[in-house]
Amino acid sequence: MSTLTSTSTGTTSDSGNGTMSATPTKAGWRPRLSGMTWLVWRQHRAGFWTILAAAALSVAWMVYQRGQMMDFLDGYGYPAKSFDEVGEHFQQYVNAFSYVSTGLGAIPILLGVFLGAPLLAGDLENGTAKLVAAQSASRARWLATKLGLTALVVVVSTGALSAVFGWWWNPVKDQNTVLDWSSGSAFDLTGPVPVALTLFTVVGGVAIGVVLRRTLMAMVVTFGFAVAVQVVWDYFRLSLGDVITITTNKGVTAENAFPDLPKAALQIDESYLTGSGDLLGWSTCSGSETDAARELCLKKEDVVGWSVDYLPMSQMNGMQWLGASILFALTAVVVAFLFFWGRKRLV
């Protein structure tokens, strides 16, 4: 028999098949969550609201800092005047970028450990998963709802932080003295990279929790996994770009002999170029005691100019999307594993 009870705060109904649903009253607007979505949100609402609130406060602080920075730069007449004229007076803003980038860089590790690892490991450890499996809702639906809501919170929070941090950095992004675009403090915190990196780490933590089925152990292993992801990502980051080589034939000691690189370009390597097109290490002839002896040595080696490998800043956006695509693909593989494993083992 179906029953219906009503209170001043909302209604709860029995649909007749043993499942309960909650709907908001007309007294005030609330998100329309019901069924499994409402259950998962209620179970993890403390963590979800903490993440969203921390992201909102961080966004507000970065917006304020950008306003302060722009007022400072406008007072100096930047960009009409060279950034070098700002000098050490800009150091406080450099420090702000450094502090914020350090904090934002820790987000994938923190969310992987404290959100991803316990997400299903806690339910498996305390028996909640068995209770859910005994209900009319399928395990696949429960898993999809858990992962879907978690992914939504991660994407919204990290996406907002990435957009605002990039907006804050954009007026001075071509100044390597502020942030080096190829480093993790800039590359990993703007564009799609922070979303992809955090999502992969969190979903990886979920998978670790499902396999280990113990919350504390899963958190410890996820910490190691998240750190390993950061190390591997740092190692392969620059390989996402296409290295450009520029050569000169004006010698190596004359004024302006070294090639001009684009502003904010990352120099990868430099070598001496010989008349036959071979490359010699830049330390060739460095043991010569006098300039004349060095000139003689270079002439003997048939050195005619420089060969320099570099990555221009113009490749940054493409590199970020390529790296994010790889991370999204890896995340999809882990999600597929979770559904495959969860068909029989998620109890």
Side-chain angles (χ1 to χ4, degrees), residues 316-329:
M316 178 180 180
N317 188 256
M319 292 169 63
Q320 286 180 315
W321 278 105
L322 175 60
S325 299
I326 295 173
L327 290 171
F328 284 137

PDB file of all heavy atoms in Angstrom, residues 316-329:
ATOM      1  N   MET A 316      51.715  26.653 -26.315  1.00  0.00           N
ATOM      2  CA  MET A 316      51.233  26.282 -24.991  1.00  0.00           C
ATOM      3  C   MET A 316      49.805  25.744 -25.020  1.00  0.00           C
ATOM      4  O   MET A 316      49.515  24.691 -24.450  1.00  0.00           O
ATOM      5  CB  MET A 316      51.312  27.482 -24.039  1.00  0.00           C
ATOM      6  CG  MET A 316      50.795  27.196 -22.644  1.00  0.00           C
ATOM      7  SD  MET A 316      50.896  28.647 -21.556  1.00  0.00           S
ATOM      8  CE  MET A 316      50.222  27.973 -20.050  1.00  0.00           C
ATOM      9  N   ASN A 317      48.902  26.439 -25.685  1.00  0.00           N
ATOM     10  CA  ASN A 317      47.503  26.015 -25.702  1.00  0.00           C
ATOM     11  C   ASN A 317      47.337  24.646 -26.348  1.00  0.00           C
ATOM     12  O   ASN A 317      46.619  23.779 -25.836  1.00  0.00           O
ATOM     13  CB  ASN A 317      46.663  27.065 -26.432  1.00  0.00           C
ATOM     14  CG  ASN A 317      45.172  26.792 -26.320  1.00  0.00           C
ATOM     15  OD1 ASN A 317      44.540  26.332 -27.256  1.00  0.00           O
ATOM     16  ND2 ASN A 317      44.608  27.087 -25.165  1.00  0.00           N
ATOM     17  N   GLY A 318      48.004  24.424 -27.483  1.00  0.00           N
ATOM     18  CA  GLY A 318      47.918  23.125 -28.139  1.00  0.00           C
ATOM     19  C   GLY A 318      48.508  22.012 -27.296  1.00  0.00           C
ATOM     20  O   GLY A 318      47.968  20.902 -27.254  1.00  0.00           O
ATOM     21  N   MET A 319      49.617  22.300 -26.635  1.00  0.00           N
ATOM     22  CA  MET A 319      50.231  21.314 -25.763  1.00  0.00           C
ATOM     23  C   MET A 319      49.302  20.956 -24.607  1.00  0.00           C
ATOM     24  O   MET A 319      49.200  19.780 -24.209  1.00  0.00           O
ATOM     25  CB  MET A 319      51.565  21.843 -25.229  1.00  0.00           C
ATOM     26  CG  MET A 319      52.657  21.985 -26.279  1.00  0.00           C
ATOM     27  SD  MET A 319      54.102  22.917 -25.670  1.00  0.00           S
ATOM     28  CE  MET A 319      54.671  21.837 -24.337  1.00  0.00           C
ATOM     29  N   GLN A 320      48.629  21.952 -24.055  1.00  0.00           N
ATOM     30  CA  GLN A 320      47.717  21.700 -22.946  1.00  0.00           C
ATOM     31  C   GLN A 320      46.554  20.811 -23.366  1.00  0.00           C
ATOM     32  O   GLN A 320      46.188  19.875 -22.653  1.00  0.00           O
ATOM     33  CB  GLN A 320      47.194  23.024 -22.392  1.00  0.00           C
ATOM     34  CG  GLN A 320      48.206  23.807 -21.585  1.00  0.00           C
ATOM     35  CD  GLN A 320      47.639  25.109 -21.056  1.00  0.00           C
ATOM     36  OE1 GLN A 320      46.971  25.845 -21.772  1.00  0.00           O
ATOM     37  NE2 GLN A 320      47.908  25.407 -19.801  1.00  0.00           N
ATOM     38  N   TRP A 321      45.967  21.097 -24.525  1.00  0.00           N
ATOM     39  CA  TRP A 321      44.833  20.290 -24.981  1.00  0.00           C
ATOM     40  C   TRP A 321      45.262  18.875 -25.352  1.00  0.00           C
ATOM     41  O   TRP A 321      44.518  17.912 -25.117  1.00  0.00           O
ATOM     42  CB  TRP A 321      44.139  20.970 -26.153  1.00  0.00           C
ATOM     43  CG  TRP A 321      43.188  22.034 -25.695  1.00  0.00           C
ATOM     44  CD1 TRP A 321      43.363  23.381 -25.762  1.00  0.00           C
ATOM     45  CD2 TRP A 321      41.917  21.811 -25.085  1.00  0.00           C
ATOM     46  NE1 TRP A 321      42.275  24.040 -25.211  1.00  0.00           N
ATOM     47  CE2 TRP A 321      41.372  23.097 -24.798  1.00  0.00           C
ATOM     48  CE3 TRP A 321      41.177  20.684 -24.747  1.00  0.00           C
ATOM     49  CZ2 TRP A 321      40.133  23.265 -24.194  1.00  0.00           C
ATOM     50  CZ3 TRP A 321      39.934  20.846 -24.138  1.00  0.00           C
ATOM     51  CH2 TRP A 321      39.424  22.115 -23.874  1.00  0.00           C
ATOM     52  N   LEU A 322      46.457  18.726 -25.907  1.00  0.00           N
ATOM     53  CA  LEU A 322      46.954  17.391 -26.214  1.00  0.00           C
ATOM     54  C   LEU A 322      47.168  16.595 -24.930  1.00  0.00           C
ATOM     55  O   LEU A 322      46.753  15.438 -24.813  1.00  0.00           O
ATOM     56  CB  LEU A 322      48.266  17.488 -27.001  1.00  0.00           C
ATOM     57  CG  LEU A 322      48.969  16.151 -27.294  1.00  0.00           C
ATOM     58  CD1 LEU A 322      48.062  15.233 -28.104  1.00  0.00           C
ATOM     59  CD2 LEU A 322      50.282  16.395 -28.034  1.00  0.00           C
ATOM     60  N   GLY A 323      47.813  17.218 -23.937  1.00  0.00           N
ATOM     61  CA  GLY A 323      48.028  16.539 -22.668  1.00  0.00           C
ATOM     62  C   GLY A 323      46.734  16.228 -21.952  1.00  0.00           C
ATOM     63  O   GLY A 323      46.557  15.130 -21.389  1.00  0.00           O
ATOM     64  N   ALA A 324      45.788  17.178 -21.980  1.00  0.00           N
ATOM     65  CA  ALA A 324      44.493  16.951 -21.332  1.00  0.00           C
ATOM     66  C   ALA A 324      43.734  15.819 -22.014  1.00  0.00           C
ATOM     67  O   ALA A 324      43.071  15.006 -21.348  1.00  0.00           O
ATOM     68  CB  ALA A 324      43.668  18.233 -21.357  1.00  0.00           C
ATOM     69  N   SER A 325      43.833  15.722 -23.343  1.00  0.00           N
ATOM     70  CA  SER A 325      43.155  14.640 -24.069  1.00  0.00           C
ATOM     71  C   SER A 325      43.693  13.281 -23.639  1.00  0.00           C
ATOM     72  O   SER A 325      42.928  12.313 -23.482  1.00  0.00           O
ATOM     73  CB  SER A 325      43.342  14.833 -25.573  1.00  0.00           C
ATOM     74  OG  SER A 325      42.772  16.053 -26.009  1.00  0.00           O
ATOM     75  N   ILE A 326      45.006  13.207 -23.453  1.00  0.00           N
ATOM     76  CA  ILE A 326      45.607  11.943 -22.996  1.00  0.00           C
ATOM     77  C   ILE A 326      45.101  11.594 -21.595  1.00  0.00           C
ATOM     78  O   ILE A 326      44.742  10.438 -21.312  1.00  0.00           O
ATOM     79  CB  ILE A 326      47.137  12.057 -23.007  1.00  0.00           C
ATOM     80  CG1 ILE A 326      47.646  12.233 -24.435  1.00  0.00           C
ATOM     81  CG2 ILE A 326      47.778  10.830 -22.358  1.00  0.00           C
ATOM     82  CD1 ILE A 326      49.131  12.528 -24.526  1.00  0.00           C
ATOM     83  N   LEU A 327      45.039  12.583 -20.732  1.00  0.00           N
ATOM     84  CA  LEU A 327      44.567  12.344 -19.361  1.00  0.00           C
ATOM     85  C   LEU A 327      43.088  11.965 -19.344  1.00  0.00           C
ATOM     86  O   LEU A 327      42.666  11.081 -18.582  1.00  0.00           O
ATOM     87  CB  LEU A 327      44.803  13.590 -18.508  1.00  0.00           C
ATOM     88  CG  LEU A 327      46.265  13.905 -18.184  1.00  0.00           C
ATOM     89  CD1 LEU A 327      46.380  15.270 -17.523  1.00  0.00           C
ATOM     90  CD2 LEU A 327      46.868  12.840 -17.286  1.00  0.00           C
ATOM     91  N   PHE A 328      42.273  12.609 -20.172  1.00  0.00           N
ATOM     92  CA  PHE A 328      40.849  12.262 -20.252  1.00  0.00           C
ATOM     93  C   PHE A 328      40.681  10.831 -20.757  1.00  0.00           C
ATOM     94  O   PHE A 328      39.805  10.097 -20.283  1.00  0.00           O
ATOM     95  CB  PHE A 328      40.111  13.236 -21.174  1.00  0.00           C
ATOM     96  CG  PHE A 328      39.845  14.580 -20.560  1.00  0.00           C
ATOM     97  CD1 PHE A 328      40.041  15.738 -21.298  1.00  0.00           C
ATOM     98  CD2 PHE A 328      39.386  14.694 -19.253  1.00  0.00           C
ATOM     99  CE1 PHE A 328      39.802  16.980 -20.735  1.00  0.00           C
ATOM    100  CE2 PHE A 328      39.142  15.936 -18.676  1.00  0.00           C
ATOM    101  CZ  PHE A 328      39.345  17.084 -19.425  1.00  0.00           C
ATOM    102  N   ALA A 329      41.513  10.434 -21.724  1.00  0.00           N
ATOM    103  CA  ALA A 329      41.438   9.065 -22.241  1.00  0.00           C
ATOM    104  C   ALA A 329      41.808   8.058 -21.156  1.00  0.00           C
ATOM    105  O   ALA A 329      41.146   7.015 -21.013  1.00  0.00           O
ATOM    106  CB  ALA A 329      42.360   8.913 -23.455  1.00  0.00           C
TER     107      ALA A 329
END
